[in-house]
Amino acid sequence: MTVISAPMGTVRTGWDPARSPLPRYAHRRGTRGLAAFVIGLVGSVVLGFGAAVLPGISLDRLAMSWLIPLTVAFGITHFVAAFGLIRRRDWSASLTGYLAAIGIGVAAYGLLVTATGLDPFGATSSLPGDQAQAQGIGLLLWMIGLWTVGARFAIRAFSRA
């Protein structure tokens, strides 16, 4: 603990980040760690969806030839961003923000498709239609929340203030 002189000549004790022996980024370790964990979790879900769920869906062959590689690449890119966050790379905050923007956009589109009456979840699930739709909406909202939390903490970890 350092002793800091107050302007009026009185002495007060407290923690002063300007006099800390640690570099400024070391005070935000947990922020980067949480962002890396959340982005890694989202990457696992996206990669699992692209590698296990999409090949079992009966869609047009041309659509599947684009969807599967793009989804798998999107999932792997989440792990690249998590690695960059752990290693304190400046580019990782931007990459995490871009991944979150893309993911939130795709999930919002899924919610919009569901709200208009189309049922993208019932056709691919063995559950009853209402239950599949409710779980699909819950998954999309959960993913939007995770991308929001991951982007917020990734960007906050590298802020200069």
Side-chain angles (χ1 to χ4, degrees):
M1 197 177 282
T2 60
V3 177
I4 305 169
S5 297
M8 300 300 287
T10 60
V11 176
R12 63 183 173 97
T13 61
W15 180 73
D16 184 16
R19 296 181 184 210
S20 176
L22 295 173
R24 188 174 201 86
Y25 65 83
H27 298 289
R28 295 192 180 110
R29 273 192 323 260
T31 305
R32 287 183 294 129
L34 176 66
F37 174 76
V38 169
I39 291 300
L41 180 64
V42 172
S44 298
V45 172
V46 171
L47 188 62
F49 180 76
V53 176
L54 275 179
I57 296 175
S58 59
L59 284 178
D60 181 40
R61 187 175 177 93
L62 180 64
M64 294 302 280
S65 68
W66 280 95
L67 280 176
I68 292 172
L70 286 176
T71 306
V72 169
F74 189 58
I76 291 171
T77 309
H78 281 77
F79 293 113
V80 172
F83 176 77
L85 287 167
I86 291 169
R87 299 293 301 161
R88 198 175 47 89
R89 304 292 187 241
D90 289 333
W91 51 262
S92 63
S94 299
L95 180 61
T96 302
Y98 290 133
L99 291 174
I102 293 167
I104 290 171
V106 170
Y109 178 73
L111 290 173
L112 182 66
V113 165
T114 304
T116 58
L118 295 175
D119 190 13
F121 305 109
T124 60
S125 176
S126 61
L127 297 174
D130 291 340
Q131 188 177 0
Q133 185 175 12
Q135 287 187 0
I137 290 171
L139 174 68
L140 292 176
L141 291 173
W142 178 72
M143 295 293 285
I144 287 173
L146 284 179
W147 272 310
T148 303
V149 168
R152 186 258 185 242
F153 281 99
I155 292 169
R156 175 69 180 125
F158 289 96
S159 67
R160 302 291 180 216

